[in-house]
Amino acid sequence: MPERHDDATVTAWSLAAGAGDQAALTAFVRATQADVYRFLVHLNGPADAEDLTQETYLRALRTLSTFEGRSSARTWLLSVARRVAVDAVRTAVRRPRTRDLGDDALETMERMVPRSGAQEAIVLRALIDDLPADRREAFVLTQILDLGYAEAAQVCCCPVGTIRSRVARAREDLVRALEADTAAPGPRRALRSAPR
């Protein structure tokens, strides 16, 4: 995993990049790319995350020269990523896609008990994906990407108290879902309900 740079350094790179410094632009992209990708994986799924990450940077770089540094560059960039994710969902709603794993794949997954750490991670990912969008977004920003509640509130354009509430409810939802998943035989329940 790449080194995580502090927000002041990342913001300084973004401001220098906006002024035309190519080395700062490279450093800015390298410092933020993993967070943007992880955020988009959780919002829209791994199949689209790479393309959405690229779209995020295309949009951000078009307006980087206007970024004034009133928030951290990471927060600003994640706000751009969030808008890209929302636009992708709107597009997907207009052109829905379906994906069938087939009975053989589901039967194979059912036989995978007990689960390994990787399998548990897959189930947890599926449970996070099943959270309502606003709770999932707040949970991923604060618990996975380690943004503070105030930064997450800026990304989501809502009050800090709303973020706190969404995260608390997401945790409650995950605990309930994990308890239900533990009672179900194998990973089939969580994986079948995960959005594709």
Side-chain angles (χ1 to χ4, degrees):
M1 185 167 184
E3 177 186 352
R4 184 171 172 101
H5 299 280
D6 64 275
D7 283 339
T9 301
V10 173
T11 300
W13 284 331
S14 69
L15 292 170
D21 185 334
Q22 290 299 311
L25 176 61
T26 300
F28 170 67
V29 171
R30 284 189 179 147
T32 57
Q33 192 170 13
D35 283 345
V36 169
Y37 178 80
R38 286 173 44 202
F39 184 49
L40 290 167
V41 163
H42 285 283
L43 293 184
N44 291 70
D48 298 324
E50 202 168 303
D51 289 339
L52 296 177
T53 299
Q54 199 168 25
E55 176 63 23
T56 297
Y57 282 99
L58 288 173
R59 287 189 193 182
L61 296 180
R62 276 187 234 131
T63 60
L64 191 58
S65 62
T66 63
F67 174 66
E68 297 175 358
R70 287 182 277 186
S71 65
S72 75
R74 190 181 319 269
T75 300
W76 170 76
L77 186 60
L78 290 172
S79 295
V80 173
R82 180 177 181 261
R83 287 189 295 277
V84 167
V86 167
D87 289 348
V89 168
R90 286 183 187 137
T91 301
V93 167
R94 284 181 280 205
R95 291 180 286 143
R97 296 179 289 176
T98 60
R99 181 174 170 207
D100 183 15
L101 291 177
D103 290 335
D104 293 341
L106 290 173
E107 287 172 10
T108 301
M109 285 185 231
E110 276 187 317
R111 290 191 299 258
M112 295 169 32
V113 176
R115 297 181 189 139
S116 69
Q119 292 162 337
E120 287 292 337
I122 290 169
V123 169
L124 182 58
R125 167 65 207 279
L127 295 175
I128 291 171
D129 286 350
D130 280 347
L131 290 170
D134 57 344
R135 293 178 189 176
R136 180 178 62 240
E137 188 175 70
F139 184 84
V140 169
L141 287 169
T142 59
Q143 307 305 303
I144 296 175
L145 297 180
D146 294 326
L147 261 62
Y149 286 104
E151 290 175 307
Q154 286 180 329
V155 170
C156 296
C157 302
C158 66
V160 174
T162 301
I163 292 295
R164 290 183 191 283
S165 174
R166 288 176 183 174
V167 170
R169 289 188 177 128
R171 286 180 181 150
E172 292 169 2
D173 291 347
L174 287 173
V175 167
R176 272 193 303 278
L178 282 169
E179 288 170 352
D181 184 67
T182 303
R188 184 175 186 165
R189 188 213 59 79
L191 291 174
R192 197 174 247 176
S193 64
R196 302 283 173 217

